[in-house]
Amino acid sequence: MSTVSAIGRNLLRFREQRGLTLAGLSERSGVAKSTLSQLENGEGNPTIETLWAVANALGVPFGQLVNEELSDGGELSDKGVIVRLIEKSTDDPEIEVYLIELRPGCRKDSAPHPEGVKERITVLSGAMLVGQADRPRMVRAGDTHTFDADVPHVYAATEQGGRAMVVIVYPPKTYSASASTLYLEWPQAPSAWEGVRSVMERALLEVSNGLGARILRLRGEPLNRRDGLLKLRQMQHEATAGPWRWPVLSLVEDDAQGPYVAVVPMPLTGAFAQPDQAPPAWANADLPAAAIRLARLAESPFIELGAPETAAIQAHLEGRSWVLNSLAAEVLLQRGRMCMPRQLHHVRPAPAAAQRGGRDGPFSSRIDVEQYDAFELLHPAYARQVVAAAQDIASFAGPQPALQAIDVGTGPGLPLLMLHELHPGCRFLAVEPDEAAFVCLQRNAHGVEGIELHHGGFLELDLPSGETPLITSFGASHHFNTAFMLQKAMRLLQPGGLLVVADEFLPEFASVDERNLALVRHHSAYLLASMAWVGEPPASEGGLDLRLYRDLRRSIIMAMVAATEGKSTQAVSLCRNLYARLCESGLRERPAHEIGAFVRFYWLELQAMVAGFDYEVERKTFPRRFAGLAALAGLELRRHRRVFATTGSDDWGGGTHVFTFSKPEGA
């Protein structure tokens, strides 16, 4: 196999494992999309700088990208530089050893490696100026220089030329959550469990009152790990049972270190606490009244249900209303009943053209749209956001509005179908640019009066300025340029017209590292909330889906705790490795059990998280920034609510938010 063919094969494999499109890899590496395509096809003549840039963008060691070429004494040469791989270790941390030769007077400037990478240079012959670009050091034969290589750095030979041994040490990827972990010895006598119970109750209290996470580990558990896991689950159940409910999510899992209990905060919101958030003429009608009550119950899972109300909710679960069906399923799941919306339909195999490998569309390039259409109804607060938006429309446009509206980035269209149920007098133009999503939208909206479909982009939508009374958007404002979307809405709205946006927003961030930590905490909060509601599936639901459920729980728990402790590299690595495993797991198969449907929703949430790391398709901002961008466009904020909390204690933290703006009169 030729040099470029071997590298191209590795490039394609790593890119697909990471979920990146060619366009996304080009954005991250600075290498032209056409060049990357040539490489994957085994064509071209890439420079060493190009290959390093691609490896850094993929987050893989250079030696893995060029593995086959540099094994067995192979080398890469370019512009007076010769590189040979001497040795590599795949242990954690990964280490690579290279021999580098520079011709006399040759200089090689290197871009930063991923965060945490260090290099150690030992000059074997000649002399070299090496190290960080702003403070390099002259190193002569026999001397060594170590430096942080996650900044621009340089290798430059004197007139003698030079040979050096380069040791690259990558940051560790494993994570043990030591800062948040309480360690106890496994009790040898029944009475000793009382001490474990006391420590667990302290952990529950600490997290209830604001601590970000706690892990309780017992060392020296019995040789039969299953018995140890069952005993720990029993203890956790006893600690959390009783007449009062702990405002936490607690899960029992095990890993290479043995069984443990993880405790994280329960999301707290008050979006539906006020009784006057919509005019009585609308809110007291049968469907809105039922939806508001269910949204309130979902927001407050500690509210106990009597037998008559439970029966009524069960009836909604079996009904045909999209919004009541989804809300009822969430309420019952929170209260220990494993159930799914009746409207949820199992995934069908996507057409070959819509498979994930070769697409480069705005949404389906990173998100499996067929599975999104099938399982996104299981997302916490998915229907609650629609109820809040409908309340705002009734409040500011009247209890029975009959408006010509635009829905932006409709996707498969489930939130729009719910909104249309709550405001049947409105007529919507559903605007969706992604081809795969539009196919799903056509299927879901078929035969629904009052919804017209448009396959195209919102920014390109050719409609008169200043004539639209209502624009809505659910979960889509971060899939395109948010600032441009707000400016376009301002242009189309008539004076006094409304823009209602429901979407996910991160906690505030100011750097890529902070954004990655925010992404892990944000998406993990949705996942862990759902996993806590699902609980321990029956042993009969075994097989692939149950194994994946356990893998997801273990990985997401540790990623969440790592992010809480500020360990960005480890948190992101845990999630990326989980993503790679799930890519190879066969999740496109039809689920055999209810747990399989939830696993496929979790897979979708992980896809969104990883796409957010790459800032491709998933380009979330934070609530105050969004409100500021809207104000910059000229819109006035009328109401803002957080309907699901992922991070932060006030309504401007991370989570699912609903914003309602208006265009000022006279604007």
Side-chain angles (χ1 to χ4, degrees), residues 11 15 18-37 53-54 56-58 360-362 365-366 478-481 512 515 610-619:
L11 169 56
R15 182 175 67 80
R18 186 163 178 147
L20 274 169
T21 63
L22 283 172
L25 182 55
S26 176
E27 289 177 1
R28 293 181 63 83
S29 65
V31 178
K33 182 179 170 182
S34 58
T35 301
L36 295 170
S37 180
V54 171
N56 287 340
L58 289 170
D360 209 19
S365 61
R366 293 302 301 258
H478 64 277
H479 290 155
F480 33 72
N481 190 307
V512 172
R515 189 179 69 206
V610 173
F613 295 153
D614 299 324
Y615 215 60
E616 189 178 19
V617 174
E618 293 285 331
R619 301 181 174 111

Side-chain angles (χ1 to χ4, degrees), residues 570-593:
Q570 289 85 349
V572 171
S573 178
L574 282 164
C575 295
R576 286 200 183 277
N577 290 340
L578 175 64
Y579 177 89
R581 292 195 299 275
L582 265 62
C583 280
E584 305 297 327
S585 66
L587 270 173
R588 286 202 58 79
E589 299 297 324
R590 185 186 302 272
H593 304 279

Side-chain angles (χ1 to χ4, degrees), residues 114-160:
E115 183 182 6
V117 173
K118 296 181 180 295
E119 290 193 18
R120 184 170 68 249
I121 313 293
T122 301
V123 175
L124 304 176
S125 64
M128 288 186 182
L129 186 69
V130 297
Q132 297 179 353
D134 59 346
R135 50 180 182 275
R137 174 179 166 183
M138 181 62 70
V139 183
R140 305 187 184 278
D143 292 337
T144 298
H145 179 45
T146 301
F147 59 93
D148 294 331
D150 51 7
V151 296
H153 49 287
V154 64
Y155 315 86
T158 64
E159 63 279 359
Q160 307 170 26

